[in-house]
Amino acid sequence: MQSARPPTVDLSLPVLEATSAAERLAAEGEAVQVDREALHARGLEFLAEASKLLASSPDYATTIARLAQLTVPPLADYCFVDVLEDSGDVRRAASEHKDPAKDAFMRTLEPSRHPRIGRVARVWGRGEALLVADARADQGHEDDEGHQALLTLLEPCSYMLVPLVAGGHRFGVMGLFATQPGRRYRPVDLALATVLADRAALAVYYARLYENLERAVHARDDLLAIVTHDLRNPLAAIAMGAALVLKAAPTADPETRAQLKKSGEVIRRSARTMDTLIGDLLDLATIESGRLRIEKKAHKVGEIVHDVVEMFAAVAEEKAIRLGAHVEVPGEVVCDRDRILQVLSNLIGNAVKFTPERGAITVRALSPRPGVVELSVSDTGPGVPPENREKMFDAYWQAIGGKRQGVGLGLAIAKGLVEAHGGSIGVRSAEGSGTTVWFTLPALAAT
């Protein structure tokens, strides 16, 4: 892990020199005002640099370590960051000492796993920051063993304990210790430390979310790998068995033949549906993970439209749907032909589902502006309500109250494939007047 460079900001106070009590009072009066303004400016500079460093890594452990590194030496001679684990135990996640000789040893110290008494326990329990301005005069307080051992080793002049809170969840405590003789923390130091802790807590919170998301993605990918390997092989055997049943059907008696044919078709259709679903899940995972590979070449628009219409001719005929094409673009598009056929197949498949018998579906290709080709699929179905149009391209989305057909991946996959080509996709619809889903592709420049 690369060490963070602490902000080079001087947060110390100037030493006042005066020859008499009167001069000292006058000098202090002027210096306090100047110092407040200067310290405020230096504090803002420190926070700005610290915020950049804390937000520069999505890694949880790195962010925690940088928080400790940032405070030493600008804010403290020693800093620790304790975090609450999912198990309920407190763990020291980071430790930093200004003296390299002491730093290694300090990193071996562990806090009490369940602090129940003393200052640290109160900070954990109440979520309120604590300032001990004069630690050496502050004796007789009962503390847990871990904190008491730390105080004995460090012998600090002053220290602060600040909670780390984000998303309504208290997940850590930052300890800042001043061991340099004469250095004492004041309320202004506590205010600066609290702002730093708030910014760090937010960075850590998002880093944790990122790690959780990564774990979820890895778990999903592992599951999909299992699904691909362990389900597709049995599906292939089922499909083969269905084909054998259908092949044997003509040799059976009439009653058995009808039963075999019906059962074989049901098995084959179900296997095909499951195989398509597995393919859709894998495609969506590939798109979302950014691993989709697109192989672009020049292809004639008319040929792509003709091929996809031919693919769905028999399906449309079963519902007595008129499936036609209207191509106004004689040129070529730059695309991955198989992927664009997949997009059009998803759109036509959707249109077939929602178009009533004796309805019509039209695939169009036109050029709305130079350098762009727009492909669209229009149907004479019931249309899409305005409130549902933005949601149509979300994965797994289904219209409430509508008949559930599929799992809602087709349009999400289509959107991902189109955007991978540098195009855009959208919908035009009016309730009762059908729906048009369109998408754009870059046209091949004329030579």
Side-chain angles (χ1 to χ4, degrees):
M1 178 183 68
Q2 187 176 4
S3 177
R5 179 181 61 82
T8 55
V9 180
D10 181 14
L11 297 173
S12 61
L13 292 172
V15 176
L16 299 176
E17 295 183 3
T19 57
S20 69
E23 288 176 341
R24 279 200 302 273
L25 287 174
E28 286 176 2
E30 293 176 3
V32 164
Q33 181 60 32
V34 173
D35 180 60
R36 282 176 179 170
E37 295 174 359
L39 191 60
H40 178 69
R42 293 199 297 269
L44 291 177
E45 183 184 349
F46 172 81
L47 288 173
E49 292 190 36
S51 297
K52 290 179 184 177
L53 285 172
L54 288 170
S56 63
S57 173
D59 182 69
Y60 167 69
T62 300
T63 305
I64 289 285
R66 282 182 177 172
L67 174 58
Q69 293 163 359
L70 286 167
T71 63
V72 178
L75 281 179
D77 300 315
Y78 171 71
C79 172
F80 72 73
V81 181
D82 290 349
V83 297
L84 185 65
E85 300 283 81
D86 293 336
S87 63
D89 292 347
V90 173
R91 175 180 66 85
R92 183 138 299 159
S95 172
E96 192 78 17
H97 198 287
K98 70 172 185 177
D99 185 349
K102 296 180 180 179
D103 187 51
F105 175 73
M106 297 303 294
R107 290 175 187 270
T108 65
L109 300 180
E110 284 293 332
S112 299
R113 293 197 302 170
H114 305 283
R116 294 185 175 88
I117 60 172
R119 301 287 179 77
V120 176
R122 286 201 294 277
V123 175
W124 275 109
R126 299 175 186 174
E128 297 175 356
L130 171 71
L131 167 62
V132 179
D134 188 350
R136 293 176 183 178
D138 186 66
Q139 302 294 330
H141 289 280
E142 187 180 19
D143 272 308
D144 68 81
E145 291 182 4
H147 187 60
Q148 190 58 56
L150 186 65
L151 294 177
T152 302
L153 283 169
L154 285 174
E155 296 184 341
C157 301
S158 186
Y159 70 89
M160 300 182 286
L161 300 174
V162 186
L164 299 174
V165 183
H169 176 59
R170 190 159 52 250
F171 66 86
V173 169
M174 175 176 68
L176 299 168
F177 297 80
T179 59
Q180 182 181 344
R183 182 178 186 180
R184 292 185 181 179
Y185 291 128
R186 302 166 300 163
V188 66
D189 299 305
L190 183 64
L192 180 62
T194 300
V195 174
L196 176 64
D198 287 343
R199 297 189 182 188
L202 196 59
V204 171
Y205 177 72
Y206 284 120
R208 270 188 164 177
L209 288 180
Y210 181 81
E211 284 196 355
N212 290 339
L213 177 61
E214 278 200 322
R215 281 196 293 269
V217 169
H218 287 316
R220 181 201 62 185
D221 290 346
D222 290 344
L223 176 62
L224 288 173
I226 293 170
V227 167
T228 303
H229 182 269
D230 291 354
L231 285 187
R232 273 196 159 158
N233 289 339
L235 273 178
I238 291 170
M240 187 178 297
L244 291 174
V245 169
L246 291 171
K247 185 177 180 180
T251 61
D253 60 83
E255 184 177 351
T256 304
R257 185 186 312 151
Q259 291 177 346
L260 288 175
K261 186 175 181 181
K262 182 179 179 180
S263 299
E265 289 292 350
V266 169
I267 295 170
R268 185 164 64 177
R269 189 162 53 247
S270 298
R272 189 179 298 136
T273 299
M274 289 183 67
D275 190 60
T276 300
L277 176 58
I278 291 171
D280 286 348
L281 288 169
L282 289 171
D283 281 341
L284 185 65
T286 303
I287 291 168
E288 290 181 344
S289 64
R291 300 196 306 266
L292 180 68
R293 294 182 61 185
I294 297 293
E295 297 181 4
K296 295 182 181 180
K297 294 181 180 178
H299 297 281
K300 291 184 178 179
V301 180
E303 290 182 359
I304 291 175
V305 172
H306 175 269
D307 289 349
V308 76
V309 168
E310 194 174 68
M311 286 166 54
F312 280 85
V315 177
E317 188 177 348
E318 286 182 8
K319 288 185 66 175
I321 293 173
R322 299 187 306 278
L323 178 60
H326 185 72
V327 179
E328 298 179 8
V329 185
E332 298 178 321
V333 288
V334 181
C335 67
D336 184 321
R337 184 179 182 278
D338 291 339
R339 290 301 191 179
I340 294 306
L341 283 174
Q342 183 180 355
V343 173
L344 287 168
S345 295
N346 284 346
L347 300 187
I348 296 174
N350 257 16
V352 170
K353 291 177 188 176
F354 296 103
T355 300
E357 291 186 3
R358 291 179 292 279
I361 296 172
T362 305
V363 183
R364 290 186 175 85
L366 53 89
S367 180
R369 58 186 181 277
V372 175
V373 171
E374 180 183 291
L375 293 162
S376 65
V377 175
S378 302
D379 63 51
T380 56
V384 181
E387 64 271 17
N388 289 343
R389 290 171 198 166
E390 289 298 321
K391 306 171 188 175
M392 284 176 55
F393 300 98
D394 294 344
Y396 307 105
W397 182 82
Q398 295 278 337
I400 297 175
K403 183 180 178 183
R404 187 172 182 85
Q405 302 189 53
V407 293
L409 294 179
L411 289 178
I413 292 170
K415 182 176 185 290
L417 294 177
V418 168
E419 291 177 347
H421 281 80
S424 57
I425 189 168
V427 60
R428 295 186 289 267
S429 184
E431 288 190 73
S433 301
T435 300
T436 297
V437 180
W438 57 269
F439 65 94
T440 60
L441 292 173
L444 184 67
T447 56

